[in-house]
Amino acid sequence: MENKYGFMKLTPIEFENWISTIRVGRTILKIQQHHTYIPNYSHFNGSNHFERQLAMKQYHTVQNGWQDIGQHFTIFPDGSILTGRSLEKSPACITNQNAHSICIENFGNFDSNGDKMTDAQKESILIVTAVLCKRFNLPVDSNSIVYHHWFRLDNGLRTNGGVNTKSCPGTAFFGGNKVVDFEQNFKPLVIAKLNGTLTKTDLGFVLRFVCVTASKLNVRSMPNATSSIVKERPSLSMGAILRVYEIQDGWYKISSSQSHWIYGKYTKEVNRAEVSTSTLNVRTGPDVKFMKQYSIQKGEIVFVFEENNGWFKIGLEDKWVSGKYLKF
């Protein structure tokens, strides 16, 4: 395990051990798969992991104007994994699809005329994906693991490929970048890595879900403002959805096993719901007359902020869906 430029380099075994110890307040619902395209294998010399990761961060912050590197993890041709953006922050990777997501950038160009993925990188991609599914109790399906190719570039509308989409994570990524390729080629390999260890999250002990409304919210060791800030947990960002396990005098305990508390004044209670129709349009206002922004699929989880005449707002910004197609 090495550290440089604020990044950490891990082997797959080290990654599995490390992720099991990390406390993440933000609710995770999706794992995004990408390829870097550029840089590709010709830019990797076997030892310049940190330099390539730093170059990507500089491009994202200077050229794109983002606050940090876009992805949470980069997986290199030799199977090494480099950390990137804090897990407490949503990625900057797929328009309108970044909330509650983890972004993986797989180093290389995996279109059919591009790089031939090494066995070490294949193995690492499968292990990291399986470990993340296990850590965050995600089902191995095409709602929880998504390819960038399935979403339009301009508005994030899910089309499962077609007009105005990237080929990302590559037309040759584990046999292809279509949903059917995921189902036939990628999904079975991830399931095999799990060895039947995936268990569904028990929400029976969750008292409520809340969304962080402050720009930054500290996590404290006790339910009061004078207690120490928990050092191993970064501050929580606006928009993060948290589970609440206990309430004391307006303070919320956000861990089922640790004494980790936040002040409830800087949160808003939300309700958890599941999409019950094949495709649900997200609009800019509470009526069909408002513009369609993108769509979400059957089985996806959303968090409801408010209701207006049978329509439900599913974000801090104006994102509305019809309540007829939600199951609470």
Side-chain angles (χ1 to χ4, degrees):
M1 188 182 300
E2 299 177 57
N3 293 274
K4 193 175 182 180
Y5 304 137
F7 308 123
M8 182 165 50
K9 181 161 77 78
L10 305 151
T11 67
I13 292 175
E14 289 172 336
F15 177 83
E16 185 168 10
N17 293 332
W18 172 78
I19 199 71
S20 68
T21 66
I22 295 298
R23 301 286 174 182
V24 181
R26 188 170 67 99
T27 297
I28 304 300
L29 299 177
K30 291 180 183 178
I31 300 168
Q32 301 176 3
Q33 295 287 351
H34 301 258
H35 70 164
T36 57
Y37 187 75
I38 297 175
N40 54 42
Y41 275 26
S42 67
H43 300 100
F44 180 64
N45 64 17
S47 61
N48 61 341
H49 308 76
F50 290 105
E51 288 70 27
R52 296 314 323 175
Q53 188 81 332
L54 179 61
M56 282 188 275
K57 178 177 179 178
Q58 290 173 335
Y59 183 85
H60 291 170
T61 55
V62 177
Q63 298 297 321
N64 293 352
W66 300 345
Q67 293 183 340
D68 200 351
I69 191 170
Q71 68 265 32
H72 294 106
F73 303 109
T74 304
I75 301 178
F76 282 79
D78 63 353
S80 297
I81 303 120
L82 259 71
T83 59
R85 179 175 290 221
S86 166
L87 285 171
E88 290 295 1
K89 295 181 178 180
S90 296
C93 295
I94 303 178
T95 302
N96 282 323
Q97 298 289 337
N98 291 313
H100 323 305
S101 294
I102 286 176
C103 173
I104 299 172
E105 284 282 0
N106 300 299
F107 192 102
N109 170 14
F110 302 118
D111 284 340
S112 57
N113 60 347
D115 300 318
K116 182 180 179 182
M117 188 183 291
T118 66
D119 290 340
Q121 191 173 25
K122 287 181 182 178
E123 181 74 0
S124 192
I125 290 169
L126 293 171
I127 290 173
V128 169
T129 304
V131 165
L132 290 174
C133 285
K134 180 180 178 182
R135 172 65 178 79
F136 297 106
N137 294 285
L138 303 177
V140 183
D141 61 31
S142 58
N143 285 333
S144 296
I145 302 170
V146 298
Y147 293 177
H148 195 178
H149 177 60
W150 302 347
F151 304 91
R152 283 180 60 112
L153 292 174
D154 53 353
N155 58 16
L157 182 70
R158 181 161 180 171
T159 62
N160 291 333
V163 179
N164 197 19
T165 62
K166 284 187 173 182
S167 64
C168 182
T171 55
F173 182 81
F174 287 85
N177 60 0
K178 306 299 185 185
V179 175
V180 65
D181 300 318
F182 166 84
E183 295 286 348
Q184 293 178 356
N185 303 320
F186 194 67
K187 176 179 174 178
L189 296 175
V190 175
I191 291 174
K193 291 297 179 186
L194 286 166
N195 294 318
T197 58
L198 189 64
T199 57
K200 189 170 178 60
T201 302
D202 182 4
L203 299 178
F205 297 102
V206 178
L207 299 182
R208 64 180 61 170
F209 290 91
V210 297
C211 176
V212 177
T213 56
S215 57
K216 287 187 178 181
L217 183 58
N218 291 325
V219 180
R220 297 191 178 272
S221 59
M222 296 294 291
N224 59 70
T226 59
S227 61
S228 59
I229 295 174
V230 178
K231 293 181 179 180
E232 64 269 25
R233 296 191 73 153
S235 58
L236 305 172
S237 299
M238 181 182 292
I241 303 293
L242 313 175
R243 295 176 172 91
V244 176
Y245 295 92
E246 187 178 335
I247 301 173
Q248 282 191 31
D249 299 324
W251 287 77
Y252 296 156
K253 186 171 181 280
I254 61 168
S255 171
S256 60
S257 59
Q258 304 292 317
S259 183
H260 293 171
W261 297 81
I262 60 167
Y263 191 27
K265 178 181 178 180
Y266 301 112
T267 67
K268 176 181 177 61
E269 185 173 1
V270 295
N271 291 315
R272 184 180 186 271
E274 182 178 330
V275 176
S276 60
T277 189
S278 57
T279 302
L280 180 58
N281 292 325
V282 180
R283 298 185 179 273
T284 57
D287 195 283
V288 292
K289 68 182 180 182
F290 288 95
M291 183 180 68
K292 180 172 69 175
Q293 299 185 68
Y294 60 99
S295 61
I296 46 184
Q297 306 295 297
K298 185 174 183 177
E300 288 196 50
I301 302 299
V302 297
F303 293 96
V304 171
F305 287 69
E306 62 181 87
E307 188 266 346
N308 184 336
N309 197 29
W311 287 77
F312 293 88
K313 189 178 180 186
I314 60 169
L316 287 172
E317 64 277 39
D318 282 316
K319 295 181 178 181
W320 294 83
V321 298
S322 172
K324 293 188 293 184
Y325 306 110
L326 295 181
K327 181 174 68 175
F328 287 87

